[in-house]
Amino acid sequence: MSDETIRFTVSLPESLFKEIELDQQERGYQSRSEYIRDLFRDRIVDKQWNNSKEDVVGVLTLVFDHHQRGLSEKLIEIQHNHLVHVLCSTHVHVDHHNCLETIIIKGQASEVNLLVNQISALKGVKVARLSRAGIV
């Protein structure tokens, strides 16, 4: 792969362009080019991650109602029953009803995705977001 910089033109609806410009400024990017490069890099990591035959690493972020009967047990059971390695987890009590948990996981992308889908479908889980960190 060459490090030569290539310039190209992109056509966008004005509303989308304005949204991108606003996001770029809010995130503190010094240039539109660097902002777009990061978007492309993220998209490429997602593609490589999903197509990988090697183990992948991700961070699952959950927000859930800890008063939901049996939810904690179900979360643990799902994590134990998959061919995914839970490397680390952090549990934080956000308020009286909500917990935030981050779970660092490693395994085949298909198994990680299955684990995430099963957890996100549980009653009481309000947010389940997977950040694809890389390929091991």
Side-chain angles (χ1 to χ4, degrees):
M1 179 182 250
S2 172
D3 287 304
E4 180 182 341
T5 299
I6 307 293
R7 287 179 176 74
F8 64 97
T9 303
V10 177
S11 299
L12 299 171
E14 184 177 2
S15 60
L16 180 57
F17 177 78
K18 287 180 179 179
E19 190 70 34
I20 288 170
E21 288 289 291
L22 181 62
D23 191 49
Q24 172 198 331
Q25 291 169 4
E26 288 174 350
R27 291 174 180 257
Y29 280 90
Q30 299 300 310
S31 72
R32 190 178 304 131
S33 292
E34 192 56 40
Y35 176 82
I36 299 297
R37 278 192 289 272
D38 276 356
L39 290 176
F40 288 173
R41 286 183 195 114
D42 285 347
R43 186 66 179 234
I44 289 167
V45 166
D46 285 349
K47 180 181 174 186
Q48 289 173 339
W49 201 89
N50 282 320
N51 294 330
S52 175
K53 302 296 182 212
E54 305 297 321
D55 280 353
V56 296
V57 177
V59 180
L60 176 58
T61 303
L62 303 173
V63 175
F64 60 92
D65 181 351
H66 74 265
H67 291 293
Q68 180 66 46
R69 177 173 281 138
L71 180 57
S72 294
E73 292 81 8
K74 289 176 187 173
L75 288 170
I76 291 169
E77 182 180 332
I78 289 170
Q79 292 175 57
H80 280 262
N81 289 339
H82 277 274
L83 300 173
V84 173
H85 303 286
V86 174
L87 302 176
C88 175
S89 67
T90 302
H91 184 96
V92 178
H93 301 278
V94 177
D95 58 31
H96 182 68
H97 291 283
N98 296 296
C99 291
L100 179 134
E101 192 163 324
T102 58
I103 306 167
I104 301 174
I105 48 184
K106 176 183 174 183
Q108 291 293 301
S110 60
E111 284 294 319
V112 170
N113 287 330
L114 182 60
L115 177 133
V116 171
N117 291 341
Q118 287 184 340
I119 288 176
S120 64
L122 293 173
K123 185 174 182 178
V125 173
K126 298 176 179 181
V127 174
R129 286 227 174 86
L130 177 64
S131 299
R132 293 168 176 94
I135 300 168
V136 186

